[in-house]
Amino acid sequence: MPTFHLCPLLSLLLWGCPLTIRVVGEMVPGLGRNAGSPASHPQGPGPPLRSKRSWVWNQFFVIEEYAGPEPVLIGRLHTDVDRGEGRAKYLLTGEGAGSVFVIDEKTGNIHVTKSLDREEKAEYILLAQAVDKLTLRPLEPPSQFIIKVQDINDNPPVFLHPPYKATVPEMSNVGTSVIQVTASDADDPTYGNSARLVYTVLEGQPYFSVDPQTGVIRTAIPNMDRETQDEFLVVIQAKDMGGHVGGLSGSTTVTVTLTDVNDNPPKFPQNLYQFTVMEDTTPGSLIGRLRAHDPDIGENSMMSYSILDGDAGDTFTVISDSAGQDGILKVQKPLDYESRRSYTFRVEVMNTAIDPQYIRQGPFKDVTTVRVTVGDVNEPPVFSHNHYTLSVLENMPPGALVGVVQARDPDVRSSSISYSIDPDSDPEVLFSIHPEDGTVRTSRSLDREVQEEYNLIIRASETDSPSKLSHAGVVIHVLDVNDNPPTLAELYKPHVCDNAQPGQVIQTVRVKDADSESGLFSFQSPGTLSDANFTVEDNKDGSASLLVRHSGFWKSQKDIFLVPIEIKDGGDPPLTSTDTLTVSLCHCETSGAILTCHMTTGSAAGLSTPALLAILACALSLLALVSLFSLQRRHKPSPLSLCEDEDVRENIITYDDEGGGEQDTQAFDMSALQPPQTGLSGGFFHPPRMDVLPRVPHHPVPHSPQPAPVDVQRFLALRLREAEKDPTAPPYDSIQVYGFEGGGSSAGSLSSLTSSSGCTVEEEPGGEDIWEWGPHFRTLAEIYGVRGRNTSEETEN
């Protein structure tokens, strides 16, 4: 049977490991003979056979950090297949094979080549195998074994997060938890006491203690006062081997800070505070500060101050500053040395936040006395009122009385007062003031319509001390008198239609009056100046209506009517004015829409200077334009004409080639013959011209089909009727040239294209045939056939 042998020396180092251990294993299916094992048997048809394993193993333990002068022999591999013939070769693979662990291929001895550290690697898994030296065929199946590194106490405890900082409220009870510290040991906690730690306090006693097993630090004495000592340094030690002698240790520091609690009341360091303030100190000014002492910090030291009692009243106030430490004493009302020279009152201070747990150490407040002395100063004069409101009528002569202002010297030894007006408030010197009695008068006549209100600043100074000045505002209202006649509110532009009916309102006018109180206005037409065509009706609401008195304006030869209106206000005394309305006559539709007017209507008024300049500029521009056209026409060469004696008034255009007939639609633009559509009538009351196209939508009139055979008389009558019904047909005369000759005409060709192009026009024969067409063509026959007919008669005679 194969055995595994350990060297006698190594057996002393590996505790509990026997020298020889027999292990019977199970053959892995599929190996057997194919694996080259001599102990394997072929499988028959019966049940599978079990074979004894040739390897004998055990778990090995190597002491960490063991080192010798030479590699240390761990053990030996041997198989019973090896009969000392040198045929077997031993192989070792796995973790650390060849570097940490080496094997002798011939003998199977395993050695460790260097010192091992369990904290780096606790165990190694290796694979051993015996093969044929020549063929390298396995002699035995490979087997796995483990080499474990045996721990020794070679690592001291280490704290995880040093240094530590912790806080605990002052005055805490004994046993109050502060913080927990934890240390770790890299040694094997499952083997011996190498990783068993015990905590102790090296520094910080008798104030703190530590739990030896958990490392929780607690307070050891009661009533630790932050105001006495606010910080402690505690040193904690962790020792392995259960704290026994020979164990390794580590330490850390813990800084413990005592947090504040409100366990101290505020105290005034003085029983009496004295301040001096001058009587001219403005309200809101600082007098001084009160400071109480509170040994606590933060929110627990914040204090509030208040006045308890005394003769301070509402003259003074005390508030806490932004830090909540000092009491700020301020003046709340004006002081007067002549009325009162000192004040005495009590001030209380107390904590704003009180902890009920420490209320027994109260009360958390204190009281002190404050005395304020008022100092005398030379004060400026004081007006009887800060603001004065005075009034005066407009148009009053200079020197009119406006009002009186008064000031006095508040000092014990009073001085006389001198008055003056600040020149910046009265730059035009419209007012004056008596320097001794303060009487305000006008220096000029005032007009309310120019300015209704004046703001003056009156100065009062002591005669003995001119630098002591005081000021008072004076508002002077200028009262209105009825000194402005009423006028029309705006420039009205009335018009009347030629079809206006009696009683029709053509314009409503309103009135404006520069005076403030003129009452209601009345309107009427002056008897001697009134126009018989119009009448004015008072609406009794400050407005009037212009009405038409009779109809028939279309018969009038006048285009403009002047209508005077007399306006009277309700002032005392009443004022009257007369305005004239310029009414234009317009041609209107029955609905009242204006068609034409001769001029822009409006009230009679003169042109302003800018308007005259604009008209002059336009006239000059037109004159320059006309001059330019004249010069251009003068230098333009005269057009060539075929006949020198041609009448210049005729609009004849001569062409040397024939027209295209009906197919030439672009021969001549008939729109050039149409006059511009001005929309103006021939006269003021004459109907519009009918030689322009009517402004109505175009609806083409269908043409009646031309009957066959052609009847010229009926054809022309039909076309005339269609033209009369068509609203878009041009009513003006026009020339239409036809280049298409009809067939079968007994009259022959009427075209002038075959006539001579010279100045002398020759009559062509054949015109007498037109007489045969009927009486409707007599005019045409006279044009073309008179000369030919007379000639033939003379020849016959």
Side-chain angles (χ1 to χ4, degrees):
M1 176 177 288
T3 57
F4 178 73
H5 302 279
L6 298 175
C7 69
L9 177 61
L10 188 59
S11 64
L12 298 177
L13 302 176
L14 304 179
W15 299 343
C17 181
L19 296 179
T20 303
I21 299 177
R22 298 177 182 273
V23 178
V24 179
E26 180 176 329
M27 175 69 71
V28 178
L31 293 177
R33 193 184 302 273
N34 293 332
S37 173
S40 62
H41 301 279
Q43 294 183 1
L49 300 178
R50 297 175 60 89
S51 61
K52 295 185 293 181
R53 192 169 183 80
S54 301
W55 293 97
V56 179
W57 297 105
N58 198 355
Q59 183 169 280
F60 305 126
F61 292 89
V62 180
I63 299 177
E64 69 170 330
E65 298 185 2
Y66 177 80
E70 296 180 357
V72 179
L73 178 64
I74 297 178
R76 180 183 178 188
L77 299 179
H78 184 71
T79 177
D80 53 3
V81 179
D82 186 6
R83 297 183 176 86
E85 300 174 354
R87 179 183 171 187
K89 178 179 178 180
Y90 297 95
L91 301 178
L92 186 65
T93 59
E95 297 178 342
S99 58
V100 180
F101 305 102
V102 294
I103 187 171
D104 192 329
E105 297 179 353
K106 298 179 179 180
T107 63
N109 293 334
I110 301 175
H111 294 80
V112 59
T113 60
K114 61 181 181 179
S115 176
L116 303 180
D117 188 358
R118 189 200 68 83
E119 285 70 36
E120 293 183 1
K121 192 171 182 62
E123 63 180 20
Y124 296 84
I125 300 176
L126 299 173
L127 192 68
Q129 187 177 20
V131 299
D132 187 275
K133 184 176 182 181
L134 299 178
T135 63
L136 298 181
R137 295 179 58 188
L139 300 178
E140 292 287 348
S143 296
Q144 179 177 287
F145 65 96
I146 299 175
I147 298 178
K148 288 192 175 183
V149 181
Q150 185 69 52
D151 183 46
I152 63 174
N153 189 17
D154 60 342
N155 291 283
V158 177
F159 285 91
L160 300 180
H161 306 290
Y164 294 89
K165 292 183 178 181
T167 59
V168 63
E170 64 173 331
M171 312 301 291
S172 296
N173 297 327
V174 176
T176 302
S177 177
V178 179
I179 193 176
Q180 182 179 14
V181 293
T182 303
S184 64
D185 196 319
D187 294 327
D188 189 0
T190 63
Y191 180 77
N193 295 326
S194 299
R196 181 185 174 190
L197 305 181
V198 174
Y199 299 94
T200 57
V201 178
L202 297 183
E203 295 182 18
Q205 295 176 341
Y207 303 105
F208 300 95
S209 62
V210 65
D211 189 299
Q213 304 300 327
T214 62
V216 175
I217 302 174
R218 303 179 185 275
T219 58
I221 61 173
N223 300 328
M224 286 189 292
D225 191 5
R226 186 201 65 82
E227 288 73 30
T228 303
Q229 183 177 352
D230 60 349
E231 188 174 277
F232 297 86
L233 186 64
V234 181
V235 179
I236 303 298
Q237 182 190 63
K239 189 175 183 181
D240 59 12
M241 298 301 290
H244 294 91
V245 178
L248 302 179
S249 64
S251 62
T252 187
T253 59
V254 181
T255 302
V256 181
T257 303
L258 298 182
T259 59
D260 184 57
V261 297
N262 194 4
D263 59 340
N264 295 281
K267 294 290 183 182
F268 278 110
Q270 301 175 217
N271 293 328
L272 177 64
Y273 290 84
Q274 296 189 29
F275 301 95
T276 300
V277 59
M278 305 308 293
E279 64 173 334
D280 60 347
T281 302
T282 57
S285 299
L286 174 67
I287 298 177
R289 288 177 176 265
L290 306 175
R291 172 169 293 186
H293 176 69
D294 190 337
D296 296 323
I297 60 175
E299 183 181 6
N300 298 321
S301 66
M302 296 186 69
M303 298 167 284
S304 64
Y305 297 83
S306 61
I307 297 177
L308 285 181
D309 51 23
D311 50 8
D314 55 355
T315 307
F316 302 96
T317 182
V318 59
I319 59 175
S320 300
D321 63 358
S322 59
Q325 298 297 312
D326 294 349
I328 301 175
L329 185 61
K330 292 184 176 182
V331 178
Q332 195 168 357
K333 293 178 62 177
L335 303 177
D336 188 8
Y337 173 82
E338 289 73 23
S339 301
R340 188 164 188 173
R341 302 186 179 184
S342 66
Y343 297 85
T344 302
F345 49 89
R346 294 196 307 160
V347 175
E348 180 185 65
V349 62
M350 63 182 303
N351 285 126
T352 56
I354 300 176
D355 192 344
Q357 184 178 355
Y358 304 100
I359 195 66
R360 65 182 183 278
Q361 301 186 21
F364 288 84
K365 59 184 178 180
D366 195 16
V367 178
T368 189
T369 302
V370 177
R371 180 178 297 166
V372 179
T373 302
V374 180
D376 185 27
V377 296
N378 186 12
E379 302 173 87
V382 178
F383 281 93
S384 58
H385 299 87
N386 293 329
H387 299 279
Y388 293 86
T389 301
L390 306 177
S391 61
V392 63
L393 290 173
E394 66 172 330
N395 301 330
M396 294 294 290
L401 178 63
V402 179
V404 179
V405 297
Q406 292 182 347
R408 64 178 182 85
D409 187 358
D411 295 327
V412 177
R413 298 180 60 185
S414 61
S415 175
S416 58
I417 307 300
S418 176
Y419 300 94
S420 62
I421 298 177
D422 189 341
D424 294 335
S425 63
D426 186 20
E428 298 179 3
V429 194
L430 299 177
F431 302 92
S432 63
I433 188 172
H434 195 281
E436 296 180 0
D437 58 11
T439 301
V440 180
R441 297 181 180 275
T442 60
S443 299
R444 298 183 189 177
S445 179
L446 304 178
D447 187 359
R448 191 199 65 85
E449 286 70 38
V450 176
Q451 187 170 345
E452 299 181 5
E453 183 179 286
Y454 297 89
N455 293 279
L456 303 182
I457 297 178
I458 305 298
R459 300 184 299 190
S461 62
E462 296 181 5
T463 306
D464 298 338
S465 300
S467 61
K468 297 297 179 181
L469 281 175
S470 59
H471 303 79
V474 178
V475 178
I476 300 177
H477 296 284
V478 181
L479 303 181
D480 184 45
V481 296
N482 193 20
D483 57 344
N484 292 279
T487 59
L488 292 179
E490 59 182 274
L491 181 64
Y492 294 98
K493 299 179 180 180
H495 68 276
V496 61
C497 292
D498 54 355
N499 55 3
Q501 299 301 320
Q504 179 178 345
V505 178
I506 63 173
Q507 183 70 58
T508 300
V509 297
R510 294 189 175 275
V511 178
K512 64 179 179 179
D513 195 326
D515 296 323
S516 61
E517 297 181 0
S518 299
L520 292 178
F521 301 94
S522 59
F523 302 83
Q524 64 180 3
S525 297
T528 57
L529 301 177
S530 60
D531 192 305
N533 297 307
F534 304 94
T535 181
V536 177
E537 181 179 325
D538 192 350
N539 296 329
K540 306 299 182 181
D541 60 352
S543 67
S545 299
L546 183 62
L547 287 77
V548 176
R549 179 172 291 182
H550 59 77
S551 60
F553 282 94
W554 59 275
K555 302 177 182 179
S556 176
Q557 300 300 321
K558 297 170 58 178
D559 296 336
I560 296 176
F561 303 91
L562 301 179
V563 181
I565 298 180
E566 184 179 280
I567 310 170
K568 184 178 182 181
D569 63 18
D572 186 18
L575 296 180
T576 302
S577 66
T578 301
D579 277 355
T580 301
L581 291 177
T582 302
V583 182
S584 296
L585 181 61
C586 298
H587 178 52
C588 305
E589 296 180 352
T590 56
S591 61
I594 298 177
L595 295 177
T596 55
C597 280
H598 265 267
M599 62 173 293
T600 302
T601 60
S603 300
L607 295 176
S608 61
T609 302
L612 293 175
L613 292 177
I615 293 174
L616 181 61
C618 293
L620 292 177
S621 301
L622 290 175
L623 183 60
L625 216 61
V626 170
S627 302
L628 182 63
F629 284 141
S630 300
L631 291 175
Q632 184 178 5
R633 188 175 182 86
R634 179 179 303 175
H635 294 285
K636 183 177 180 181
S638 59
L640 297 177
S641 60
L642 297 177
C643 303
E644 295 298 331
D645 58 345
E646 181 183 4
D647 192 352
V648 297
R649 292 172 296 174
E650 296 180 356
N651 184 16
I652 300 177
I653 302 175
T654 304
Y655 298 92
D656 291 337
D657 54 349
E658 292 191 12
E662 287 183 345
Q663 304 301 324
D664 189 1
T665 59
Q666 304 296 331
F668 189 73
D669 187 7
M670 298 300 297
S671 63
L673 300 175
Q674 299 178 4
Q677 299 182 8
T678 60
L680 300 178
S681 60
F684 184 64
F685 294 116
H686 293 80
R689 291 176 57 181
M690 300 303 293
D691 57 349
V692 294
L693 290 176
R695 299 180 181 178
V696 295
H698 174 66
H699 299 286
V701 179
H703 295 279
S704 301
Q706 181 176 357
V710 177
D711 187 348
V712 177
Q713 180 178 357
R714 184 178 178 183
F715 173 78
L716 293 178
L718 181 62
R719 287 292 182 263
L720 179 61
R721 186 164 49 253
E722 288 178 345
E724 290 176 351
K725 293 181 180 180
D726 187 3
T728 61
Y732 48 84
D733 295 336
S734 63
I735 299 176
Q736 300 186 17
V737 180
Y738 297 91
F740 177 79
E741 296 289 340
S745 174
S746 59
S749 175
L750 299 180
S751 175
S752 60
L753 296 177
T754 58
S755 62
S756 175
S757 59
C759 298
T760 303
V761 179
E762 297 181 0
E763 299 291 338
E764 58 183 1
E768 61 275 4
D769 296 336
I770 302 177
W771 290 97
E772 299 178 1
W773 291 2
H776 295 285
F777 297 91
R778 179 170 300 177
T779 303
L780 185 63
E782 291 177 355
I783 295 175
Y784 284 94
V786 168
R787 181 179 301 179
R789 185 178 179 89
N790 296 336
T791 305
S792 61
E793 291 178 354
E794 292 175 358
T795 304
E796 292 176 358
N797 294 330

